[in-house]
Amino acid sequence: MRQLPTLVRIAIAAACAATIAAPGASAQDTDRPATSFPYTPGLDVTSMDKNADPCVDFYQYACGGWIKNNPIPADQARWSVYDKLAQDNRRYLWGILEDLSKRQEGRNANEQKIGDYFGACMDEAAIERRGAEPLKAYFDEIDAVHGAHDLPRALAKLQLALADERLFFGFGSNQDYADSTRVIGFAVASGLGLPDRDAYLKTDARSKEIRAKYVVHVANTFQLLGETPAQAQQHASQVLAIETQLAKASLPTVEKRNPYKLFHKVDFKGLQALTPGFDWRVYLDALGAGGQDTFNVTEPAFFKALGKLWKTADPAMLRTYMRWHVARTMSPMLAKRFDAEHFDFYSKTLRGVEQQPPRWKRCVALVDRQLGEALGQEFVRRAFSPELKEKSLHMTRQIEDAMKRDIDELQWMSPQTKQKAQEKLAAVVNKIGYPDKWRDYAAYDVRPGDFTGNVERGNAFENRRQLAKIGKPLDRSEWQMTPPTVNAYFDPQMNDINFPAGVLQPPLFDPKMDDAPNYGNTGGTIGHELTHAFDDEGRQFDANGNLKDWWTKKDAKEFQQRAQCIVDQYAQYKVVDDIKINSKLTLGEDVADLGGLILGWMAWQTQMAGMPQQAAGPAALRDGLSPEQRFFVGYAQWACESDRPANARVHAMTDPHSPGRYRVNGLMVNMPQFQQAFQCKAGQPMVKEPQQRCRVW
Ligand SMILES: [Zn+2]
């Protein structure tokens, strides 16, 4: 993926409140719905800094103007070309939703749902009046927990309604790694309120400070729930103690990139043996997912630790921990005092955001999350024409042809492995724009004026939908991203590449532009997703999406050597302060970035061969740039961004993507075509010695 983690997906509705607040824009000029999409060209000269030397810092040259002209809005943790486009999409959807929320008649079933959902979400007065009351039923449930034997039923109920996989653990459905045609239950390690296990274990000053502030935040939340300061303080310390125990039992994020480390198939007895005293039969029955006998436990050591905790901890401590996580999940949906306290820690302290995004942004984002394919139909109808779909598909096929040639021409791979790689490539399914079959929301009851009820029923709807897949034939037509999403992904088990309509718009994909920037930008994105099929993680899955080694030992070693070149290169880049890129974590994305740009270049060469008038000569200059230069600037301009230092620190721990600067400059140094396009000299910063260049695919 270009922006989201690419790790083998666990199909659990992830309701991380911190991400609800994240997308959006500045409050000043954007506080009206848009009636049309603003146009930004696919190559924008005003986004460049022509005073910068492209051979010294190409990112500054291509993005310097953008960074200067687009300061991070006060309500954002970071700001990028992708974020800005996502905000434009939302601002447009806002108008549609506002209209549907006011109309009572002439709405079809989906329009009623998205309209009423949005209307209830926007009704802050009603939300304020309810105060903390939506928590009551959950807290009653928790109060009835007197030991491990009471946990299964309570946890199942809470997880269904809250979609909160951070309540001790997550349970959902996913394709079996060994047999991608089967969907089985997955029990997933989780349970933490901070963004990563390292946040509990690191001993540097900043990490200690964040932990101290986290405890204050938990205590503040308990006080809002009516506890005395002393009680709240004690309870917050207990939460940190439990979570630290769970963090110690969790795999480091880097290790989760290895699918074998997350693949531990057990039968029912095996599952039960991990946590004696916690009755999985009761839990699964309460989820409505009983009767299964095959599970994947992603991290058995974590579940063993969890079983021990449940057995030995004072039940009052377990209740405290559960109350905290319920309050954490629900706070953004509650009265202002809860919402503000939640924002203060998760957005302000943790990520440096200055102010809460306006209500409409958060409500559009929530509709997109809970009713994304109903909202997506409105978006596609207005923003994604059949011609655009055809054009995108054409480019995708060209990129795939380029990959086919690329594999054929590889010097380091044996014919035997090449054949398997070609089989895998030929089996990749292209999904462009939106699903062929829209999701049916009939079973999701959305009521006017009942915001938290709508959220809970939406969570339960999605969880049941996921759990109902277990044991059924796999639906290959399903999407994991909604159509307005400005992002893309590769799914190793489906073996498909997915490009939502939202990412196939200007300035990323611009039919009005010449080919060069489009092949650099969107061509690079398509190539990026396709290369994920062959990155350090994706390459471990075969043409059928099964976790199965199809490499000869020698070829695997050759791959690893080339990947190591990337690891070593990116390990030298700084994220923020003295924190360097954790290049083992970003390896898959870095490999996909480089492969994507090379494939985009190859596909563009093919395209140009068919259109000689675009190819060369002084007439080919536009904005003073040659087609080759426009290809590279077009590529770079998807990645222009600014990040707040606090947010960058979180990303350094959790984000498998390198910062935008290195997603640009880190590639240019490896591309001889770049050196030639800008006539850079040997020894300049954007030029590596030929024998030092990295290339995997
Ligand atoms: Zn990616």
Side-chain angles (χ1 to χ4, degrees):
M1 294 184 197
R2 273 225 147 146
Q3 293 205 308
L4 295 179
T6 170
L7 183 79
V8 180
R9 156 194 57 111
I10 314 295
I12 288 178
C16 164
T19 59
I20 300 175
S26 71
Q28 312 92 28
D29 59 344
T30 54
D31 274 336
R32 284 311 311 149
T35 48
S36 62
F37 292 101
Y39 172 71
T40 311
L43 190 156
D44 189 356
V45 183
T46 64
S47 290
M48 298 172 67
D49 172 5
K50 288 212 172 170
N51 292 322
D53 183 340
C55 300
V56 172
D57 182 351
F58 184 61
Y59 179 73
Q60 177 63 29
Y61 173 78
C63 286
W66 191 94
I67 292 164
K68 197 166 146 235
N69 300 333
N70 293 277
I72 306 175
D75 64 350
Q76 299 295 308
R78 48 169 275 160
W79 199 231
S80 65
V81 170
Y82 269 48
D83 291 333
K84 200 174 171 190
L85 178 57
Q87 173 196 277
D88 289 342
N89 289 350
R90 291 215 171 104
R91 194 144 68 96
Y92 182 75
L93 293 168
W94 176 20
I96 296 169
L97 289 168
E98 197 171 65
D99 171 53
L100 287 173
S101 71
K102 284 175 185 151
R103 259 199 298 152
Q104 296 300 313
E105 278 154 35
R107 299 182 299 178
N108 66 28
N110 275 343
E111 288 169 341
Q112 175 270 317
K113 286 184 207 295
I114 59 178
D116 287 347
Y117 187 107
F118 184 75
C121 180
M122 290 298 287
D123 189 352
E124 288 179 280
I127 292 163
E128 201 58 39
R129 276 197 301 277
R130 289 192 72 188
E133 190 246 299
L135 294 174
K136 191 176 175 304
Y138 300 123
F139 286 0
D140 288 348
E141 199 71 55
I142 292 168
D143 285 343
V145 173
H146 300 293
H149 53 281
D150 295 324
L151 269 176
R153 192 169 289 117
L155 275 182
K157 275 195 182 171
L158 296 172
Q159 289 174 349
L160 260 183
L162 299 168
D164 184 14
E165 87 285 13
R166 295 207 252 173
L167 198 55
F168 286 124
F169 67 96
F171 189 88
S173 69
N174 202 70
Q175 285 165 270
D176 184 343
Y177 290 178
D179 176 2
S180 70
T181 62
R182 289 182 72 193
V183 180
I184 59 172
F186 267 52
V188 183
S190 177
L192 310 178
L194 287 170
D196 189 83
R197 47 100 71 183
D198 285 358
Y200 294 87
L201 309 178
K202 285 185 359 188
T203 54
D204 60 286
R206 170 78 190 170
S207 303
K208 284 183 184 164
E209 182 196 338
I210 291 286
R211 283 199 291 278
K213 287 182 173 169
Y214 177 57
V215 173
V216 171
H217 165 58
V218 178
N220 287 347
T221 304
F222 281 130
Q223 280 195 63
L224 289 176
L225 292 168
E227 296 189 356
T228 65
Q231 251 177 345
Q233 183 57 45
Q234 191 200 4
H235 284 162
S237 306
Q238 290 175 354
V239 166
L240 185 71
I242 288 183
E243 291 182 1
T244 305
Q245 229 175 307
L246 297 180
K248 283 181 183 158
S250 304
L251 276 182
T253 302
V254 167
E255 291 187 34
K256 291 193 211 170
R257 288 192 48 70
N258 180 350
Y260 286 99
K261 293 212 170 172
L262 299 178
F263 189 39
H264 309 279
K265 242 157 89 169
V266 292
D267 59 10
F268 183 82
K269 267 191 189 158
L271 177 66
Q272 190 57 66
L274 289 169
T275 58
F278 179 88
D279 192 334
W280 283 90
R281 206 171 297 279
V282 174
Y283 172 79
L284 292 168
D285 283 343
L287 275 187
Q292 317 167 43
D293 198 37
T294 310
F295 305 88
N296 179 35
V297 179
T298 59
E299 297 181 40
F302 174 88
F303 280 89
K304 273 186 200 154
L306 200 52
K308 213 161 147 195
L309 171 78
W310 286 337
K311 209 170 155 189
T312 53
D314 176 357
M317 263 179 84
L318 298 179
R319 289 195 296 270
T320 297
Y321 167 90
M322 289 164 75
R323 264 204 308 277
W324 153 243
H325 278 283
V326 169
R328 175 187 56 72
T329 308
M330 291 292 289
S331 282
M333 287 82 172
L334 298 178
K336 186 96 185 149
R337 57 190 186 278
F338 289 95
D339 188 25
E341 176 60 38
H342 182 93
F343 171 82
D344 193 64
F345 178 73
Y346 279 103
S347 293
K348 202 172 197 170
T349 301
L350 210 50
R351 297 180 185 271
V353 182
E354 289 156 17
Q355 73 186 42
Q356 183 75 276
R359 189 82 195 165
W360 71 264
K361 282 188 198 172
R362 305 166 65 200
C363 291
V364 176
L366 275 172
V367 177
D368 184 51
R369 199 175 78 191
Q370 297 209 280
L371 287 154
E373 291 196 11
L375 184 63
Q377 292 180 46
E378 305 287 334
F379 182 79
V380 166
R381 201 181 309 145
R382 294 160 173 92
F384 197 63
S385 65
E387 297 80 58
L388 205 53
K389 182 162 178 161
E390 195 43 51
K391 255 190 138 142
S392 315
L393 198 56
H394 172 70
M395 193 187 270
T396 306
R397 291 192 182 122
Q398 285 180 321
I399 298 284
E400 285 166 342
D401 282 346
M403 183 102 210
K404 192 162 178 263
R405 274 181 285 134
D406 178 59
I407 292 171
D408 269 342
E409 288 161 14
L410 283 184
Q411 300 293 315
W412 53 269
M413 190 184 264
S414 70
Q416 196 186 338
T417 308
K418 276 185 183 178
Q419 195 197 326
K420 296 280 181 197
Q422 294 289 14
E423 279 168 25
K424 178 164 182 174
L425 174 64
V428 169
V429 172
N430 304 324
K431 291 187 186 162
I432 311 279
Y434 54 92
D436 293 335
K437 192 178 76 196
W438 293 104
R439 189 163 301 162
D440 179 2
Y441 292 103
Y444 178 11
D445 178 21
V446 178
R447 299 174 197 163
D450 184 11
F451 174 49
T452 48
N454 290 337
V455 170
E456 292 155 359
R457 285 187 294 274
N459 290 336
F461 167 81
E462 176 59 14
N463 280 331
R464 292 210 173 92
R465 197 181 71 78
Q466 295 292 353
L467 293 168
K469 295 179 189 174
I470 296 171
K472 303 262 169 57
L474 178 70
D475 177 5
R476 291 197 176 268
S477 70
E478 205 186 338
W479 282 62
Q480 292 167 49
M481 282 182 186
T482 66
T485 304
V486 184
N487 208 337
Y489 70 95
F490 164 73
D491 183 329
Q493 291 179 277
M494 292 280 198
N495 198 24
D496 60 12
I497 47 177
N498 302 255
F499 306 96
V503 83
L504 296 168
Q505 293 179 90
L508 302 174
F509 187 53
D510 183 357
K512 289 187 196 160
M513 261 301 128
D514 48 311
D515 283 329
N518 277 324
Y519 278 82
N521 194 326
T522 293
T525 301
I526 298 168
H528 173 104
E529 300 310 337
L530 195 60
T531 306
H532 271 317
F534 303 94
D535 72 14
D536 60 316
E537 194 178 299
R539 77 175 187 87
Q540 303 188 65
F541 292 82
D542 69 8
N544 297 316
N546 295 328
L547 185 58
K548 197 170 159 190
D549 191 0
W550 46 273
W551 294 65
T552 67
K553 276 214 165 61
K554 182 169 176 299
D555 290 331
K557 218 172 148 200
E558 295 280 351
F559 174 91
Q560 275 150 6
Q561 269 174 19
R562 281 159 182 81
Q564 190 60 42
C565 178
I566 305 260
V567 171
D568 294 342
Q569 179 191 326
Y570 282 75
Q572 296 166 27
Y573 295 143
K574 193 181 85 176
V575 181
V576 63
D577 310 330
D578 57 349
I579 305 173
K580 298 264 177 74
I581 291 181
N582 181 353
S583 60
K584 285 193 179 121
L585 175 62
T586 61
L587 175 60
E589 296 298 334
D590 298 334
V591 166
D593 281 343
L594 181 55
L597 187 61
I598 290 170
L599 294 177
W601 176 272
M602 289 171 70
W604 178 53
Q605 297 296 311
T606 308
Q607 174 75 2
M608 276 208 308
M611 300 180 153
Q613 72 280 9
Q614 281 201 14
L621 284 187
R622 283 192 188 207
D623 308 319
L625 298 167
S626 72
E628 288 76 13
Q629 291 173 337
R630 291 175 68 77
F631 173 89
F632 286 108
V633 173
Y635 168 77
Q637 286 193 344
W638 80 263
C640 307
E641 65 174 29
S642 301
D643 210 352
R644 295 184 190 278
N647 194 51
R649 286 182 202 109
V650 175
H651 276 194
M653 227 179 343
T654 58
D655 192 345
H657 302 90
S658 296
R661 166 175 299 276
Y662 307 113
R663 299 188 73 178
V664 173
N665 289 352
L667 306 191
M668 300 310 145
V669 298
N670 290 316
M671 296 281 288
Q673 299 92 334
F674 171 81
Q675 183 184 358
Q676 203 184 354
F678 287 92
Q679 295 294 303
C680 301
K681 295 184 194 73
Q684 286 194 286
M686 291 296 105
V687 181
K688 266 196 208 175
E689 297 279 327
Q691 66 275 18
Q692 304 289 322
R693 282 186 188 128
C694 302
R695 176 155 181 189
V696 184
W697 294 102

